[in-house]
Amino acid sequence: EREVVEVVRRPLEDPVDVGPLSLPLADQLTIAFWFKADDFDVPDARFLSKAFGDQTEEHYWMVSTFDGSKLRFRLKAGGSTDTLISPDVLTPGIWTHVAASYDGNSMVLYRDGIEVARMAKSGPIASAPTVSGLSGRPFRMMAPVPRTRAAAL
């Protein structure tokens, strides 16, 4: 069964805290959302993140920008945290659909329905029920319904 978490976000610059979001023990995950950013001036801005710090191993999962305007997906599974970065650049002022997916064998990033990056990764997704799902390091954007799913696309 799929668990869906929805966060409605209006245009603002403050972080959205979805609380101690915890997915059921699973080996699949999809985080998908639409957004329109005014700019990409905040380096490494988070769309949605479950982490207890800024270092790679301190993340359970995250979708963010990297180096200004590239997409980044981070996931702790199989005992380690890995990072996938898309080579293409995001454009400010344009509605964009993003999906970060893990099917137990691969981490994949999609932009507007097109696969833009993939890497091999396996193992169960790490869980930390008390760690908050916080979109820290925000930037000014509109994102009406970010979703997380305990299933791959």
Side-chain angles (χ1 to χ4, degrees):
E1 181 171 318
R2 294 181 175 192
E3 176 178 314
V4 178
V5 176
E6 295 186 16
V7 179
V8 177
R9 183 163 187 181
R10 60 187 185 281
L12 50 78
E13 295 178 11
D14 296 327
V16 172
D17 188 344
V18 296
L21 179 62
S22 186
L23 299 173
L25 292 178
D27 57 2
Q28 298 182 349
L29 169 73
T30 298
I31 301 169
F33 55 91
W34 285 92
F35 80 95
K36 181 171 79 170
D38 293 344
D39 57 54
F40 295 102
D41 292 344
V42 175
D44 303 333
R46 274 48 166 171
F47 292 106
L48 195 62
S49 173
K50 183 177 178 86
F52 59 90
D54 289 334
Q55 302 302 310
T56 300
E57 290 298 322
E58 296 172 332
H59 286 80
Y60 288 88
W61 44 260
M62 173 185 72
V63 180
S64 70
T65 61
F66 175 76
D67 197 21
S69 59
K70 295 179 181 176
L71 284 174
R72 174 173 56 181
F73 175 28
R74 199 170 263 173
L75 179 68
K76 183 182 294 260
S80 66
T81 303
D82 287 302
T83 303
L84 176 63
I85 299 171
S86 170
D88 65 333
V89 176
L90 298 167
T91 305
I94 295 175
W95 280 102
T96 304
H97 186 263
V98 173
S101 184
Y102 174 67
D103 64 4
N105 295 306
S106 300
M107 293 171 59
V108 185
L109 271 170
Y110 298 90
R111 178 176 156 194
D112 294 325
I114 298 169
E115 183 179 309
V116 293
R118 173 183 291 267
M119 72 181 293
K121 172 90 174 149
S122 63
I125 298 170
S127 179
T130 60
V131 175
S132 183
L134 178 65
S135 61
R137 288 194 192 168
F139 52 91
R140 187 159 180 77
M141 69 169 191
M142 295 177 68
V145 186
R147 298 173 184 249
T148 61
R149 296 184 184 273
L153 287 176

